[in-house]
Amino acid sequence: MGVQLGVIADDFTGGTDIASFLVANGVKTIQVSGAESIDPFNDDVQAIVVSLKSRSNPANEAIAQSLQALELLKAAGARQVFFKYCSTFDSTAQGNIGPVTDALLDALNEDFTVVCPALPVNGRTTYQGVLFVNGAPLNESGMRNHPVTPMTDSNLVRLMDGQARGTTGLVPLQVVERGTEAVTEALAALKAAGNRYAVLDALNDQHLSVLGAAVTEMRLVTGGSGLGGAIARSLPDEVKGRQTAFTPKSGPAVILSGSCSVMTNDQVADYKTKGPSLSVDVDRLMTSPGGYDEEVLSWFNERSGSIPAPLIFATSGPAEVQRLQQSYGSAESSHAIEEFFGRIAVALVAGGVQRVIVAGGETSGSVTTALGITGFEVGAPIAPGVPWVRSLDGSVDLALKSGNFGTVDFFSQAQ
Protein backbone atom coordinates (compact mmCIF):
# COMPACT_ATOMS: atom_id res chain seq x y z
CA MET A 1 0.00 0.00 0.00
CA GLY A 2 3.02 2.33 0.30
CA VAL A 3 3.38 5.43 2.48
CA GLN A 4 0.00 6.27 3.97
CA LEU A 5 1.03 9.27 6.02
CA GLY A 6 3.74 11.91 5.61
CA VAL A 7 4.24 14.02 8.72
CA ILE A 8 5.80 17.48 8.90
CA ALA A 9 6.63 18.15 12.56
CA ASP A 10 7.61 21.68 13.62
CA ASP A 11 10.19 20.51 16.17
CA PHE A 12 12.19 17.41 17.04
CA THR A 13 10.26 16.33 20.11
CA GLY A 14 7.05 16.85 18.15
CA GLY A 15 8.39 14.42 15.58
CA THR A 16 9.23 11.72 18.09
CA ASP A 17 5.91 12.40 19.82
CA ILE A 18 3.75 11.59 16.80
CA ALA A 19 6.09 8.81 15.65
CA SER A 20 5.52 7.01 18.95
CA PHE A 21 1.73 7.22 18.54
CA LEU A 22 1.94 5.91 14.98
CA VAL A 23 4.14 3.00 16.03
CA ALA A 24 1.87 2.23 18.99
CA ASN A 25 -1.06 1.93 16.57
CA GLY A 26 0.69 -0.50 14.25
CA VAL A 27 2.03 1.86 11.59
CA LYS A 28 5.63 1.18 10.60
CA THR A 29 7.34 4.57 10.83
CA ILE A 30 10.70 6.12 10.07
CA GLN A 31 11.74 9.55 11.30
CA VAL A 32 14.24 11.83 9.62
CA SER A 33 15.90 15.02 10.87
CA GLY A 34 15.40 18.00 8.63
CA ALA A 35 14.08 18.30 5.11
CA GLU A 36 17.30 17.83 3.14
CA SER A 37 16.78 14.23 2.03
CA ILE A 38 15.02 10.97 2.73
CA ASP A 39 17.29 7.97 2.33
CA PRO A 40 15.89 4.91 0.55
CA PHE A 41 13.46 3.08 2.80
CA ASN A 42 11.83 -0.34 2.85
CA ASP A 43 8.64 -0.92 0.92
CA ASP A 44 6.77 -1.81 4.12
CA VAL A 45 7.11 1.69 5.66
CA GLN A 46 3.68 3.28 6.07
CA ALA A 47 4.65 6.63 7.61
CA ILE A 48 7.54 9.06 7.29
CA VAL A 49 8.03 11.79 9.90
CA VAL A 50 10.16 14.80 8.93
CA SER A 51 11.29 16.63 12.06
CA LEU A 52 12.01 20.31 11.52
CA LYS A 53 13.17 23.11 13.78
CA SER A 54 10.60 25.61 12.57
CA ARG A 55 8.33 26.32 15.51
CA SER A 56 9.90 29.62 16.59
CA ASN A 57 11.69 30.64 13.39
CA PRO A 58 10.53 33.68 11.40
CA ALA A 59 7.40 32.65 9.51
CA ASN A 60 9.05 32.81 6.09
CA GLU A 61 11.76 30.36 7.24
CA ALA A 62 9.17 28.00 8.71
CA ILE A 63 7.21 28.07 5.46
CA ALA A 64 10.30 27.36 3.37
CA GLN A 65 11.33 24.41 5.55
CA SER A 66 7.81 22.99 5.57
CA LEU A 67 7.41 23.24 1.80
CA GLN A 68 10.77 21.52 1.31
CA ALA A 69 9.60 18.71 3.60
CA LEU A 70 6.32 18.51 1.67
CA GLU A 71 8.18 17.97 -1.61
CA LEU A 72 10.17 15.12 -0.08
CA LEU A 73 7.01 13.47 1.24
CA LYS A 74 5.21 13.85 -2.08
CA ALA A 75 8.19 12.27 -3.84
CA ALA A 76 8.02 9.39 -1.36
CA GLY A 77 4.39 8.85 -2.36
CA ALA A 78 2.66 9.97 0.86
CA ARG A 79 -1.10 9.64 0.41
CA GLN A 80 -1.94 12.09 3.20
CA VAL A 81 0.08 14.93 4.77
CA PHE A 82 -0.10 15.73 8.48
CA PHE A 83 1.25 19.05 9.80
CA LYS A 84 2.10 18.27 13.43
CA TYR A 85 2.40 21.02 16.04
CA CYS A 86 2.38 20.98 19.83
CA SER A 87 -0.74 20.01 21.78
CA THR A 88 -0.51 23.44 23.45
CA PHE A 89 -0.63 25.13 20.01
CA ASP A 90 2.71 26.87 20.61
CA SER A 91 2.72 29.92 18.35
CA THR A 92 2.61 33.70 18.32
CA ALA A 93 0.29 36.24 16.73
CA GLN A 94 2.51 36.07 13.65
CA GLY A 95 2.53 32.27 13.39
CA ASN A 96 3.89 29.87 12.63
CA ILE A 97 0.96 27.46 12.63
CA GLY A 98 -1.35 29.61 10.52
CA PRO A 99 1.17 30.70 7.85
CA VAL A 100 2.56 27.16 7.44
CA THR A 101 -0.94 25.68 7.17
CA ASP A 102 -1.83 28.22 4.47
CA ALA A 103 1.36 27.48 2.54
CA LEU A 104 0.76 23.72 2.67
CA LEU A 105 -2.86 24.12 1.54
CA ASP A 106 -1.74 26.23 -1.42
CA ALA A 107 1.02 23.81 -2.38
CA LEU A 108 -1.44 20.90 -2.34
CA ASN A 109 -4.12 22.88 -4.22
CA GLU A 110 -6.47 22.43 -1.26
CA ASP A 111 -8.68 25.04 0.42
CA PHE A 112 -9.81 23.41 3.67
CA THR A 113 -8.33 21.52 6.61
CA VAL A 114 -8.84 20.80 10.30
CA VAL A 115 -7.16 22.07 13.47
CA CYS A 116 -6.98 19.56 16.34
CA PRO A 117 -4.18 19.80 18.94
CA ALA A 118 -6.11 17.75 21.54
CA LEU A 119 -4.12 15.05 23.35
CA PRO A 120 -6.33 13.81 26.20
CA VAL A 121 -3.79 11.27 27.51
CA ASN A 122 -1.57 14.24 28.40
CA GLY A 123 -4.38 16.47 29.64
CA ARG A 124 -4.92 18.54 26.48
CA THR A 125 -8.60 18.77 25.56
CA THR A 126 -10.74 21.06 23.42
CA TYR A 127 -14.28 22.13 24.23
CA GLN A 128 -16.24 24.79 22.32
CA GLY A 129 -13.02 25.59 20.53
CA VAL A 130 -11.17 26.38 23.76
CA LEU A 131 -7.95 24.47 24.47
CA PHE A 132 -7.52 23.22 28.04
CA VAL A 133 -4.38 21.95 29.78
CA ASN A 134 -5.20 19.63 32.68
CA GLY A 135 -8.57 21.34 33.10
CA ALA A 136 -7.31 24.93 32.92
CA PRO A 137 -7.70 27.15 29.84
CA LEU A 138 -4.45 27.33 27.89
CA ASN A 139 -3.85 30.98 28.79
CA GLU A 140 -4.14 30.14 32.51
CA SER A 141 -1.67 27.25 32.30
CA GLY A 142 2.11 27.42 32.52
CA MET A 143 2.16 28.19 28.78
CA ARG A 144 1.24 31.80 29.52
CA ASN A 145 4.85 32.30 30.67
CA HIS A 146 6.58 30.43 27.83
CA PRO A 147 9.74 32.40 26.97
CA VAL A 148 9.36 32.00 23.19
CA THR A 149 5.66 31.36 22.49
CA PRO A 150 3.64 32.72 25.44
CA MET A 151 0.01 31.66 25.02
CA THR A 152 -2.29 34.45 26.19
CA ASP A 153 -5.47 33.17 24.52
CA SER A 154 -7.05 29.72 24.70
CA ASN A 155 -9.64 30.06 21.93
CA LEU A 156 -8.35 28.14 18.91
CA VAL A 157 -10.83 29.80 16.55
CA ARG A 158 -9.52 33.27 17.50
CA LEU A 159 -5.91 32.08 17.46
CA MET A 160 -6.24 30.62 13.97
CA ASP A 161 -8.17 33.60 12.62
CA GLY A 162 -5.48 35.90 13.99
CA GLN A 163 -2.48 34.24 12.33
CA ALA A 164 -3.89 32.64 9.17
CA ARG A 165 -5.51 33.91 5.97
CA GLY A 166 -9.03 32.51 6.12
CA THR A 167 -11.88 32.08 8.57
CA THR A 168 -12.25 29.29 11.10
CA GLY A 169 -15.31 27.24 11.97
CA LEU A 170 -15.95 24.80 14.79
CA VAL A 171 -17.11 21.19 14.97
CA PRO A 172 -18.45 21.17 18.55
CA LEU A 173 -18.49 18.27 20.94
CA GLN A 174 -22.21 17.63 20.44
CA VAL A 175 -21.52 16.81 16.79
CA VAL A 176 -18.45 14.70 17.56
CA GLU A 177 -20.46 12.59 19.98
CA ARG A 178 -22.93 11.77 17.18
CA GLY A 179 -20.20 9.94 15.28
CA THR A 180 -18.05 10.02 12.17
CA GLU A 181 -20.85 10.63 9.67
CA ALA A 182 -22.06 13.68 11.62
CA VAL A 183 -18.52 15.09 11.72
CA THR A 184 -18.08 14.51 7.99
CA GLU A 185 -21.33 16.37 7.28
CA ALA A 186 -20.32 19.23 9.61
CA LEU A 187 -16.96 19.59 7.88
CA ALA A 188 -18.63 19.72 4.47
CA ALA A 189 -21.03 22.41 5.71
CA LEU A 190 -18.20 24.53 7.16
CA LYS A 191 -16.26 24.28 3.90
CA ALA A 192 -19.35 25.19 1.84
CA ALA A 193 -19.85 28.24 4.06
CA GLY A 194 -16.42 29.53 3.03
CA ASN A 195 -14.34 28.53 6.05
CA ARG A 196 -10.73 27.53 5.42
CA TYR A 197 -10.18 25.74 8.76
CA ALA A 198 -12.29 23.79 11.24
CA VAL A 199 -11.38 23.42 14.92
CA LEU A 200 -12.36 19.99 16.27
CA ASP A 201 -13.54 19.45 19.85
CA ALA A 202 -12.27 16.37 21.69
CA LEU A 203 -12.26 15.36 25.36
CA ASN A 204 -11.12 11.73 25.15
CA ASP A 205 -9.60 9.10 22.88
CA GLN A 206 -13.02 7.93 21.74
CA HIS A 207 -13.68 11.41 20.35
CA LEU A 208 -10.31 11.34 18.59
CA SER A 209 -11.14 7.98 17.02
CA VAL A 210 -14.33 9.48 15.57
CA LEU A 211 -12.36 12.44 14.22
CA GLY A 212 -9.56 10.27 12.84
CA ALA A 213 -12.06 8.24 10.82
CA ALA A 214 -13.70 11.45 9.55
CA VAL A 215 -10.51 12.96 8.12
CA THR A 216 -8.90 9.89 6.52
CA GLU A 217 -9.63 11.17 2.99
CA MET A 218 -8.37 14.72 3.62
CA ARG A 219 -5.19 15.54 1.71
CA LEU A 220 -3.90 17.80 4.53
CA VAL A 221 -4.62 17.42 8.24
CA THR A 222 -3.17 19.54 11.04
CA GLY A 223 -3.02 18.83 14.74
CA GLY A 224 -1.28 17.07 17.59
CA SER A 225 -0.13 13.50 17.99
CA GLY A 226 -3.51 12.44 19.38
CA LEU A 227 -5.21 12.93 16.02
CA GLY A 228 -2.22 11.33 14.30
CA GLY A 229 -2.66 8.21 16.42
CA ALA A 230 -6.39 8.19 15.68
CA ILE A 231 -5.74 8.32 11.93
CA ALA A 232 -3.35 5.39 12.36
CA ARG A 233 -6.04 3.43 14.22
CA SER A 234 -8.47 4.03 11.37
CA LEU A 235 -6.17 2.52 8.73
CA PRO A 236 -7.06 -1.01 7.58
CA ASP A 237 -5.00 -3.75 9.19
CA GLU A 238 -3.72 -4.90 5.82
CA VAL A 239 -1.71 -1.67 5.32
CA LYS A 240 -0.06 -1.79 8.73
CA GLY A 241 3.33 -3.35 9.43
CA ARG A 242 4.75 -5.27 12.34
CA GLN A 243 6.80 -3.17 14.77
CA THR A 244 9.76 -4.55 16.70
CA ALA A 245 11.08 -2.21 19.39
CA PHE A 246 14.80 -2.18 20.15
CA THR A 247 16.14 -2.46 23.69
CA PRO A 248 17.75 0.83 24.83
CA LYS A 249 21.49 0.79 25.42
CA SER A 250 22.79 0.36 28.97
CA GLY A 251 25.96 2.44 28.68
CA PRO A 252 26.77 5.89 30.16
CA ALA A 253 23.95 8.43 30.08
CA VAL A 254 23.43 12.16 30.49
CA ILE A 255 20.35 14.34 30.96
CA LEU A 256 20.31 17.74 29.25
CA SER A 257 17.42 20.03 30.14
CA GLY A 258 16.83 23.34 28.39
CA SER A 259 13.06 23.57 28.72
CA CYS A 260 11.63 26.12 31.16
CA SER A 261 8.11 24.68 31.20
CA VAL A 262 6.29 24.17 34.49
CA MET A 263 6.52 20.38 34.19
CA THR A 264 10.23 20.37 33.38
CA ASN A 265 10.88 22.66 36.35
CA ASP A 266 9.09 20.10 38.52
CA GLN A 267 11.04 17.24 36.91
CA VAL A 268 14.37 18.97 37.52
CA ALA A 269 13.44 19.72 41.14
CA ASP A 270 12.52 16.06 41.65
CA TYR A 271 15.71 14.74 40.07
CA LYS A 272 18.00 17.06 42.03
CA THR A 273 17.07 15.03 45.11
CA LYS A 274 18.08 11.78 43.41
CA GLY A 275 21.17 12.30 41.27
CA PRO A 276 24.08 14.64 40.50
CA SER A 277 22.97 17.91 38.89
CA LEU A 278 24.57 21.08 37.59
CA SER A 279 22.72 24.32 36.92
CA VAL A 280 24.08 26.10 33.85
CA ASP A 281 25.54 29.51 34.73
CA VAL A 282 24.01 31.41 31.82
CA ASP A 283 25.76 34.67 32.75
CA ARG A 284 29.15 32.97 32.40
CA LEU A 285 28.00 31.17 29.28
CA MET A 286 27.15 34.49 27.66
CA THR A 287 30.50 36.05 28.51
CA SER A 288 33.01 33.19 28.15
CA PRO A 289 31.42 30.16 26.46
CA GLY A 290 34.59 28.27 25.58
CA GLY A 291 36.09 28.22 29.05
CA TYR A 292 32.74 27.45 30.60
CA ASP A 293 32.23 24.42 28.32
CA GLU A 294 35.46 22.90 29.63
CA GLU A 295 34.37 23.43 33.22
CA VAL A 296 31.03 21.70 32.62
CA LEU A 297 32.67 18.78 30.82
CA SER A 298 35.14 18.38 33.67
CA TRP A 299 32.23 18.30 36.14
CA PHE A 300 30.52 15.56 34.08
CA ASN A 301 33.68 13.49 33.61
CA GLU A 302 34.10 13.29 37.38
CA ARG A 303 30.63 11.70 37.53
CA SER A 304 30.58 9.78 34.23
CA GLY A 305 28.89 6.41 34.53
CA SER A 306 27.17 7.34 37.77
CA ILE A 307 23.74 5.91 38.49
CA PRO A 308 21.52 7.92 38.38
CA ALA A 309 23.03 9.80 35.42
CA PRO A 310 24.27 13.39 35.75
CA LEU A 311 21.81 16.17 34.92
CA ILE A 312 22.95 19.43 33.30
CA PHE A 313 20.12 21.95 33.22
CA ALA A 314 19.32 25.50 32.17
CA THR A 315 15.73 25.04 33.32
CA SER A 316 14.53 27.98 35.45
CA GLY A 317 11.39 29.78 36.54
CA PRO A 318 9.69 32.78 34.90
CA ALA A 319 11.55 35.39 36.97
CA GLU A 320 15.00 34.11 36.00
CA VAL A 321 13.95 33.70 32.36
CA GLN A 322 12.79 37.33 32.34
CA ARG A 323 16.06 38.52 33.91
CA LEU A 324 18.15 36.72 31.28
CA GLN A 325 16.01 38.06 28.45
CA GLN A 326 16.31 41.61 29.78
CA SER A 327 20.07 41.25 30.26
CA TYR A 328 21.00 39.57 26.99
CA GLY A 329 17.92 39.54 24.76
CA SER A 330 15.39 36.76 24.31
CA ALA A 331 16.70 35.38 21.03
CA GLU A 332 20.35 35.80 22.02
CA SER A 333 20.08 34.01 25.37
CA SER A 334 17.94 31.18 23.94
CA HIS A 335 20.35 30.68 21.04
CA ALA A 336 23.39 30.62 23.34
CA ILE A 337 21.81 27.99 25.59
CA GLU A 338 20.78 25.80 22.64
CA GLU A 339 24.25 26.02 21.07
CA PHE A 340 25.82 25.19 24.43
CA PHE A 341 23.81 21.99 24.80
CA GLY A 342 24.70 21.00 21.25
CA ARG A 343 28.42 21.41 21.93
CA ILE A 344 28.19 19.54 25.23
CA ALA A 345 26.28 16.65 23.62
CA VAL A 346 28.89 16.28 20.87
CA ALA A 347 31.74 16.19 23.39
CA LEU A 348 29.98 13.71 25.67
CA VAL A 349 28.98 11.29 22.91
CA ALA A 350 32.54 11.44 21.55
CA GLY A 351 33.67 10.54 25.07
CA GLY A 352 31.50 7.42 25.25
CA VAL A 353 28.03 8.52 26.36
CA GLN A 354 25.48 6.18 24.72
CA ARG A 355 22.17 7.55 26.02
CA VAL A 356 21.16 11.22 25.87
CA ILE A 357 17.93 12.29 27.57
CA VAL A 358 16.88 15.78 26.44
CA ALA A 359 14.09 18.03 27.75
CA GLY A 360 12.75 20.75 25.46
CA GLY A 361 11.91 20.89 21.77
CA GLU A 362 14.42 23.58 20.87
CA THR A 363 17.13 21.90 22.94
CA SER A 364 16.38 18.54 21.31
CA GLY A 365 16.68 20.11 17.89
CA SER A 366 20.04 21.66 18.74
CA VAL A 367 21.41 18.44 20.23
CA THR A 368 20.25 16.28 17.33
CA THR A 369 21.58 18.70 14.74
CA ALA A 370 24.92 19.08 16.49
CA LEU A 371 25.31 15.28 16.63
CA GLY A 372 24.72 15.12 12.88
CA ILE A 373 21.84 12.66 13.25
CA THR A 374 19.80 12.46 10.06
CA GLY A 375 17.26 9.85 11.07
CA PHE A 376 15.94 7.61 13.83
CA GLU A 377 14.55 4.20 14.50
CA VAL A 378 11.57 4.70 16.80
CA GLY A 379 11.43 2.45 19.85
CA ALA A 380 9.24 1.83 22.87
CA PRO A 381 7.61 4.74 24.74
CA ILE A 382 8.92 5.97 28.07
CA ALA A 383 5.80 8.09 28.56
CA PRO A 384 2.93 9.03 26.21
CA GLY A 385 4.50 10.90 23.30
CA VAL A 386 8.10 10.26 24.38
CA PRO A 387 9.72 7.14 22.89
CA TRP A 388 13.31 6.04 22.86
CA VAL A 389 14.82 6.69 19.45
CA ARG A 390 18.08 5.36 18.03
CA SER A 391 20.28 7.05 15.45
CA LEU A 392 20.25 5.15 12.18
CA ASP A 393 23.96 4.36 12.56
CA GLY A 394 23.16 2.74 15.93
CA SER A 395 25.67 4.86 17.84
CA VAL A 396 23.43 6.62 20.34
CA ASP A 397 19.96 6.34 21.87
CA LEU A 398 17.99 9.49 22.67
CA ALA A 399 14.87 10.38 24.60
CA LEU A 400 13.63 13.71 23.23
CA LYS A 401 11.01 15.09 25.60
CA SER A 402 8.70 18.00 24.92
CA GLY A 403 8.90 20.39 27.87
CA ASN A 404 5.41 19.70 29.20
CA PHE A 405 5.42 15.91 28.73
CA GLY A 406 6.09 13.15 31.22
CA THR A 407 5.38 12.72 34.91
CA VAL A 408 7.42 14.42 37.61
CA ASP A 409 9.81 11.43 37.82
CA PHE A 410 10.38 11.24 34.06
CA PHE A 411 14.18 11.56 34.24
CA SER A 412 14.31 8.57 36.59
CA GLN A 413 11.80 6.61 34.49
CA ALA A 414 13.88 7.10 31.36
CA GLN A 415 16.83 5.34 32.99
Side-chain angles (χ1 to χ4, degrees):
M1 293 290 290
V3 178
Q4 299 297 300
L5 192 63
V7 179
I8 301 169
D10 67 358
D11 79 345
F12 283 78
T13 56
T16 55
D17 173 17
I18 192 167
S20 71
F21 277 84
L22 297 177
V23 169
N25 285 284
V27 173
K28 187 166 185 178
T29 305
I30 61 170
Q31 182 178 352
V32 298
S33 303
E36 286 71 31
S37 65
I38 297 176
D39 293 330
F41 54 89
N42 295 332
D43 291 340
D44 60 349
V45 168
Q46 291 95 39
I48 300 173
V49 178
V50 180
S51 299
L52 304 178
K53 193 172 180 294
S54 61
R55 178 172 297 171
S56 57
N57 292 18
N60 62 323
E61 292 181 11
I63 289 170
Q65 288 186 31
S66 301
L67 291 178
Q68 185 179 2
L70 175 63
E71 290 306 310
L72 290 175
L73 293 171
K74 287 167 63 177
R79 183 186 66 83
Q80 185 176 53
V81 177
F82 193 106
F83 172 36
K84 196 276 176 193
Y85 40 77
C86 189
S87 58
T88 47
F89 208 74
D90 298 19
S91 54
T92 66
Q94 293 73 41
N96 290 338
I97 294 173
V100 169
T101 299
D102 282 329
L104 293 174
L105 281 170
D106 291 346
L108 291 166
N109 295 315
E110 298 288 336
D111 57 8
F112 184 75
T113 189
V114 297
V115 175
C116 184
L119 184 58
V121 70
N122 278 347
R124 278 69 160 165
T125 55
T126 309
Y127 178 68
Q128 293 299 311
V130 174
L131 182 56
F132 292 84
V133 178
N134 294 320
L138 176 65
N139 63 308
E140 296 178 16
S141 73
M143 284 300 298
R144 68 186 181 277
N145 296 316
H146 194 285
V148 180
T149 53
M151 300 306 296
T152 57
D153 193 357
S154 58
N155 188 298
L156 293 170
V157 174
R158 281 198 301 264
L159 287 168
M160 201 64 186
D161 280 348
Q163 60 178 270
R165 273 207 317 263
T167 58
T168 310
L170 171 67
V171 179
L173 189 67
Q174 300 94 311
V175 172
V176 178
E177 291 188 329
R178 284 165 41 206
T180 297
E181 185 176 349
V183 172
T184 303
E185 292 173 355
L187 290 173
L190 289 173
K191 180 179 179 180
N195 292 287
R196 190 167 168 86
Y197 331 98
V199 170
L200 308 178
D201 275 356
L203 297 183
N204 54 48
D205 282 344
Q206 183 177 354
H207 294 148
L208 286 177
S209 292
V210 168
L211 298 172
V215 301
T216 53
E217 298 305 315
M218 259 187 191
R219 187 75 175 96
L220 175 70
V221 176
T222 88
S225 55
L227 183 59
I231 291 173
R233 286 196 295 276
S234 72
L235 292 174
D237 289 341
E238 57 266 23
V239 306
K240 298 182 183 181
R242 181 180 297 276
Q243 292 295 323
T244 55
F246 59 83
T247 301
K249 298 177 183 294
S250 58
V254 66
I255 306 166
L256 305 176
S257 179
S259 168
C260 291
S261 71
V262 171
M263 177 53 76
T264 304
N265 270 279
D266 290 344
Q267 289 163 340
V268 167
D270 175 77
Y271 195 78
K272 285 165 65 177
T273 68
K274 300 174 179 177
S277 62
L278 176 68
S279 176
V280 176
D281 188 335
V282 180
D283 293 300
R284 290 191 55 200
L285 175 62
M286 297 299 294
T287 55
S288 58
Y292 186 60
D293 285 10
E294 292 304 315
E295 184 177 318
V296 171
L297 291 171
S298 176
W299 176 89
F300 177 87
N301 289 333
E302 292 173 2
R303 297 158 180 82
S304 178
S306 67
I307 301 174
L311 161 68
I312 302 171
F313 67 95
T315 299
S316 55
E320 177 63 8
V321 170
Q322 185 177 30
R323 183 190 74 80
L324 292 171
Q325 291 177 339
Q326 291 174 345
S327 298
Y328 305 108
S330 175
E332 292 78 6
S333 57
S334 295
H335 181 72
I337 292 169
E338 292 168 21
E339 292 290 304
F340 163 78
F341 279 120
R343 295 192 303 270
I344 293 298
V346 169
L348 294 179
V349 170
V353 167
Q354 295 184 334
R355 293 174 294 154
V356 183
I357 300 162
V358 190
E362 297 295 321
T363 308
S364 295
S366 296
V367 166
T368 308
T369 300
L371 289 172
I373 297 173
T374 59
F376 306 103
E377 178 185 354
V378 181
I382 304 164
V386 192
W388 277 107
V389 296
R390 173 166 292 169
S391 59
L392 292 179
D393 66 4
S395 62
V396 63
D397 290 353
L398 301 101
L400 306 175
K401 184 192 85 72
S402 176
N404 289 301
F405 279 16
T407 55
V408 71
D409 61 347
F410 174 83
F411 294 141
S412 300
Q413 276 188 324
Q415 297 174 69

